[in-house]
Amino acid sequence: PAALQPRQRDDGDVLRGRAGSNGKMMKPIHSFPNHYLSDDFDVYSHRDGVWKKISKHLNRPDGYWLVVLYRGGKPTTTYIHRLMAEVLIPNPENKRDVNHINGIKSDNRLENLEWATRSENILHSAHVLGKRVKNYIITSPEGVNHLVSGLTKFCRDNNLSQPAMTGVATGKRNHHKGWLCRYHDEAAAMCGAM
């Protein structure tokens, strides 16, 4: 799209190549050798002098665009928005998440993407987009209740498995290492609003 003003890395790694019938500007995807991102944000492989466009797949129910790329002969499914950020958006603070600013996960326009920490991404979802953040009441084996909004961090800090604790919260498990976990709304009704 003509309205996009791509942010560029200063690494100077740009190739002019023939992709299909049009010459396009290509930026290498360093995490996937022989793969490039075009100036119109399509993904290409370049082998033996031949450019091949790689199909994008919207095969996740949550709206993310995915593509299968090969590294060392092995297929790897990766997110288009993540590739775009790695190639085109500087990340001087080494943040791990790529945030969709408008909250639309299929909107991979460059101006809609930014690097974020996991906490920044969650806060953006709740405060800017108005999405509900899951809160939990976690009960230790000793019976101490904890109100938690960052389940992953809480589990990491307490040597617990986040998927197992989610299983407890959804009723698929009775407990995990003696710990109980309930969604805050459900627990507030049972415990009288903590």
Side-chain angles (χ1 to χ4, degrees):
L4 292 180
Q5 296 299 319
R7 295 172 251 185
Q8 303 245 341
R9 280 186 151 167
D10 293 328
D11 59 11
D13 291 333
V14 176
L15 292 178
R16 258 289 165 206
R18 288 198 63 74
S21 59
N22 301 329
K24 297 183 180 195
M25 188 73 75
M26 299 290 189
K27 300 261 311 172
I29 302 170
H30 294 293
S31 54
F32 291 93
N34 302 316
H35 291 86
Y36 296 82
L37 186 67
S38 73
D39 53 4
D40 56 1
F41 311 118
D42 287 322
V43 179
Y44 289 82
S45 66
H46 184 244
R47 293 174 197 259
D48 302 322
V50 177
W51 291 100
K52 179 182 174 189
K53 183 176 178 179
I54 299 174
S55 299
K56 288 182 237 183
H57 303 280
L58 180 64
N59 60 355
R60 285 188 47 142
D62 57 9
Y64 286 112
W65 284 94
L66 300 169
V67 66
V68 177
L69 302 180
Y70 288 82
R71 182 175 22 218
K74 295 182 180 179
T76 302
T77 302
T78 192
Y79 296 100
I80 294 289
H81 68 281
R82 183 151 197 92
L83 289 176
M84 290 178 62
E86 287 175 3
V87 172
L88 298 171
I89 302 174
N91 187 11
E93 297 176 44
N94 292 317
K95 295 181 177 182
R96 293 179 35 179
D97 287 5
V98 179
N99 183 39
H100 286 87
I101 296 167
N102 68 6
I104 301 170
K105 296 172 186 171
S106 61
D107 183 357
N108 291 326
R109 292 172 299 133
L110 200 55
E111 67 265 19
N112 188 44
L113 302 176
E114 65 182 354
W115 287 103
T117 64
R118 178 60 46 101
S119 295
E120 289 169 340
N121 211 350
I122 291 169
L123 288 173
H124 178 267
S125 179
H127 297 295
V128 176
L129 303 175
K131 293 184 178 177
R132 184 172 174 241
V133 176
K134 291 180 183 170
N135 292 310
Y136 303 86
I137 293 179
I138 299 178
T139 306
S140 72
E142 295 81 26
V144 177
N145 286 328
H146 304 269
L147 180 59
V148 175
S149 60
L151 186 59
T152 301
K153 182 179 181 335
F154 182 87
C155 289
R156 185 174 48 241
D157 292 347
N158 290 282
N159 196 28
L160 300 169
S161 162
Q162 186 267 327
M165 290 300 282
T166 300
V168 174
T170 59
K172 294 178 182 171
R173 297 178 63 131
N174 292 327
H175 66 87
H176 173 57
K177 296 182 179 179
W179 292 76
L180 303 176
C181 182
R182 300 286 176 261
Y183 291 113
H184 180 263
D185 295 341
E186 171 190 335
M190 290 177 5
C191 301
M194 293 186 84

